[in-house]
Amino acid sequence: ADYINDIKITGDDIWLATLNGVLALSARRGDLTVQYNRNNGLAHNSINQILPDSEGNVFVATESERLFTIHPESGISDYGVSMYGLMLNKIVGLTRDSRGVIWAATHGNGVFECYPDSVNSLNTSHGLLSNYSYSILADSMDNIWIGHERGFSCFNRGSGIIRVYSTDFARGGSC
């Protein structure tokens, strides 16, 4: 048995993020079609989340200095440039805003705004509640919501302002 962290569906494929890589299953046949892990190009086997795009590719949240993308026809490739921080990135969550930009939440290095040719970072020096993130979401107004232990942060892309909701709001919980 494998520990499943995330499940996504694209077309006929069911994608599983597991402690042993990414599994793709055929929804129609119910069988394993392919497994992606360190042996065929991923940086780490422990996968925290997967984020499909409109073309059937899947972005992978794992321990790495960069994002990886699985292309069902051609395999694994890295996406964009390196995301540097004070420690190795443990990417715990991914989201996509309305412009198609990928945002990566990390456990220790804050949040990265990832483009194919560049990356921007947000961390406590920019106003985040914590550099340790547990979840991330882009809402319909392109605010980026980041869950932390004992609260959450909201980055308004339009204004560049980060608003923090701490223990008074979250009542001591993890987000």
Side-chain angles (χ1 to χ4, degrees):
D2 206 348
Y3 190 91
I4 299 171
N5 291 320
D6 194 21
I7 302 170
K8 297 289 190 309
I9 297 175
T10 61
D12 184 48
D13 294 316
I14 301 172
W15 295 90
L16 306 176
T18 77
L19 290 180
N20 293 307
V22 177
L23 306 177
L25 309 171
S26 169
R28 205 169 346 111
R29 296 185 317 270
D31 61 345
L32 177 67
T33 56
V34 66
Q35 179 173 4
Y36 300 95
N37 55 37
R38 288 189 63 178
N39 294 332
N40 53 9
L42 286 179
H44 201 280
N45 284 342
S46 180
I47 310 303
N48 298 306
Q49 186 184 358
I50 45 182
L51 179 68
D53 68 13
S54 60
E55 298 170 9
N57 303 311
V58 177
F59 289 87
V60 179
T62 189
E63 292 186 34
S64 175
E65 78 283 351
R66 64 182 64 232
L67 286 180
F68 284 85
T69 308
I70 297 172
H71 308 274
E73 302 300 320
S74 60
I76 299 167
S77 67
D78 56 27
Y79 177 83
V81 298
S82 292
M83 301 178 288
Y84 293 108
L86 296 175
M87 57 184 63
L88 177 66
N89 288 314
K90 180 177 182 183
I91 304 169
V92 295
L94 299 171
T95 193
R96 181 183 297 104
D97 66 24
S98 66
R99 302 170 300 156
V101 175
I102 305 296
W103 293 78
T106 71
H107 201 225
N109 288 324
V111 173
F112 293 94
E113 179 183 17
C114 304
Y115 297 89
D117 60 354
S118 63
V119 64
N120 298 317
S121 66
L122 290 175
N123 53 48
T124 54
S125 69
H126 299 99
L128 287 183
L129 175 66
S130 172
N131 286 332
Y132 289 84
S133 305
Y134 295 93
S135 56
I136 190 165
L137 171 78
D139 70 18
S140 62
M141 295 171 37
D142 274 345
N143 293 305
I144 307 300
W145 297 86
I146 304 109
H148 311 284
E149 185 174 355
R150 291 180 276 204
F152 56 97
S153 302
C154 179
F155 173 61
N156 181 297
R157 272 195 30 248
S159 68
I161 295 173
I162 296 175
R163 184 158 182 200
V164 171
Y165 303 85
S166 61
T167 54
D168 293 338
F169 180 82
R171 303 220 166 111
S174 296
C175 298

